[in-house]
Amino acid sequence: MATHLNAQITTLEDRITVLYEEADPGRIIASGPGLGVTTAAGILGRLGDPNRFTSLAGIRAFTGLVPRLSQSGLTGRDGPPTRQGHPGLRETLFKAADIARHTDPTLAARGRP
């Protein structure tokens, strides 16, 4: 049964690779640290057509990982992430960041106080 499941996983990964290559021929998303083809395909699938966003700020807002701005009078401060946007995309990005942190010592060092 395990051999059969491994064969099915391999078949699915091959199919994901073909579809991802069609959707992102330059492999722009997969070029990020911690991203393989399967994860990049998940991000692209949840993001949809990236050309629908007019700026990178729009994509960031869609992820819900931008800080909430708290303003009162003349003062303002950043709060926790807004968490608005696509929860599946946010989860995939967190997982990719965790993988990158484990594989890249520079990224791992940035997370330390």
Side-chain angles (χ1 to χ4, degrees):
M1 184 175 198
T3 304
H4 177 68
L5 289 173
N6 283 335
Q8 286 183 326
I9 289 169
T10 301
T11 302
L12 286 172
E13 287 175 342
D14 292 343
R15 183 69 180 138
I16 288 168
T17 300
V18 168
L19 292 172
Y20 176 72
E21 294 289 335
E22 289 175 11
D24 185 15
R27 297 176 59 107
I28 293 170
I29 296 174
S31 68
L35 297 174
V37 171
T38 303
T39 305
I43 291 170
L44 185 60
R46 289 172 173 92
L47 185 63
D49 181 12
N51 295 319
R52 68 189 171 114
F53 298 99
T54 57
S55 67
L56 185 57
I59 294 174
R60 286 185 190 133
F62 183 74
T63 66
L65 295 175
V66 294
R68 183 182 316 268
L69 184 59
S70 177
Q71 292 181 327
S72 176
L74 299 175
T75 63
R77 64 180 178 87
D78 291 335
T82 62
R83 298 188 140 207
Q84 294 181 357
H86 196 293
L89 176 59
R90 198 167 39 255
E91 179 182 355
T92 303
L93 291 171
F94 269 114
K95 287 180 181 179
D98 191 46
I99 291 169
R101 181 180 61 87
H102 282 76
T103 58
D104 186 339
T106 307
L107 290 174
R110 286 191 70 157
R112 293 187 193 121

